[in-house]
Amino acid sequence: MVAIFKKELRNYFMSPIGYIFVGVFTFLASFFFVSSVLMSQQADISLMFSDINVIYLFLAALLTMRLLSEEKNKRTDQLLLSSPVSITEIVVGKYLAAMSVFGITILISLVYPIIMFMYGSPALSEVIGSYIGFILLWGAFISVGVFISSLTESQMIAGVFTFASLLLIYFISWFEASVNNVLAKNIISWFSLLDRYSEFQSGILNVENIIYYLSFIFVFLFLTVRVIDKRRYS
């Protein structure tokens, strides 16, 4: 798994994808920090995160679209599957590589709360909660992207469907009120990632919400493993 992780992380920065992701993410985060926090003179980092989430959905698609579709397109997936590494290790290694690129932007963004603490008095619990929630939310977004990337050999199709799926997940709670069927409401509620995210922004670290996001990530990585495993024997 470590070898897969290192290979994928290196690939991100041997192509423009890693630099584009980090550059665009940092530029937009800086823009929203200035416009939402500094100009409004509110020491609340959650304002920045709230503004950037929906715009950043396309970055999640950019980050994940090539992870497994490229292997299938270049017919290198069979070589990978015949290696001593398990499918689970392959999927987790690729997922962690994508999360590491995202993690670089998180490290860069720590300059924003430092500025806030230098010139204001933000609530530490809200800063920590916003960061933990943001990381978990993006971990869920990336797991969806990894799964969709395993379904096709086209990076473009993987990117478009990832963006469309994440956009649907982002706004899915809007449909919950108009649904009367209990089972359908429960399904919609399970996919409603943003409903639980708001508690983190308030500085509330609910263990149930943390378990929810980790379970969401596990389910989509498990589904990815099953898709690849099925393809190996087809």
Side-chain angles (χ1 to χ4, degrees):
M1 185 177 74
V2 175
I4 298 293
F5 167 76
K6 290 181 178 179
K7 171 181 173 291
E8 290 301 327
L9 188 59
R10 184 169 60 250
N11 286 344
Y12 273 118
F13 294 100
M14 289 178 65
S15 69
I17 292 177
Y19 298 101
I20 292 172
F21 180 86
V22 174
V24 173
F25 197 111
T26 304
F27 171 77
L28 290 176
S30 300
F31 172 79
F32 285 119
F33 176 71
V34 171
S35 62
S36 301
V37 181
L38 294 186
M39 294 186 69
S40 65
Q41 297 184 345
Q42 297 185 61
D44 186 357
I45 198 71
S46 66
L47 295 175
M48 180 189 76
F49 287 134
S50 295
D51 286 340
I52 65 180
N53 271 327
V54 68
I55 296 177
Y56 280 178
L57 295 183
F58 81 93
L59 286 179
L62 174 70
L63 193 62
T64 59
M65 65 183 187
R66 53 159 290 278
L67 279 176
L68 291 162
S69 58
E70 185 180 47
E71 300 278 4
K72 190 175 180 181
N73 180 260
K74 293 182 176 180
R75 301 296 186 266
T76 56
D77 55 336
Q78 292 304 316
L79 291 174
L80 196 60
L81 294 175
S82 61
S83 67
V85 183
S86 69
I87 296 176
T88 300
E89 290 176 315
I90 293 171
V91 171
V92 173
K94 287 175 176 287
Y95 174 77
L96 291 179
M99 284 297 294
S100 295
V101 178
F102 167 68
I104 293 172
T105 63
I106 290 295
L107 291 176
I108 295 172
S109 74
L110 291 177
V111 70
Y112 308 134
I114 291 173
I115 294 172
M116 289 169 54
F117 279 107
M118 288 173 61
Y119 298 101
S121 302
L124 181 60
S125 61
E126 292 182 3
V127 173
I128 294 174
S130 292
Y131 267 93
I132 292 175
F134 193 64
I135 292 169
L136 289 171
L137 179 66
W138 263 75
F141 286 166
I142 291 172
S143 70
V144 173
V146 171
F147 169 67
I148 293 176
S149 180
S150 70
L151 299 176
T152 177
E153 63 181 39
S154 170
Q155 294 185 44
M156 185 62 68
I157 292 175
V160 170
F161 272 88
T162 296
F163 177 75
S165 299
L166 293 180
L167 198 63
L168 177 62
I169 290 173
Y170 196 90
F171 292 109
I172 198 169
S173 60
W174 293 8
F175 301 104
E176 189 173 355
S178 61
V179 175
N180 296 320
N181 184 277
V182 176
L183 177 60
K185 287 180 77 72
N186 289 336
I187 293 173
I188 291 174
S189 177
W190 190 81
F191 278 99
S192 186
L193 295 173
L194 271 296
D195 285 351
R196 295 163 179 81
Y197 174 64
S198 59
E199 289 191 21
F200 288 99
Q201 292 181 304
S202 301
I204 302 172
L205 298 181
N206 189 326
V207 175
E208 183 180 339
N209 289 335
I210 294 174
I211 293 173
Y212 161 78
Y213 281 108
L214 294 177
S215 299
F216 189 98
I217 293 166
F218 172 81
V219 167
F220 275 91
L221 293 184
F222 174 77
L223 290 173
T224 305
V225 171
R226 298 307 303 159
V227 167
I228 297 174
D229 190 48
K230 182 179 179 181
R231 191 165 67 236
R232 178 170 65 172
Y233 294 107
S234 62

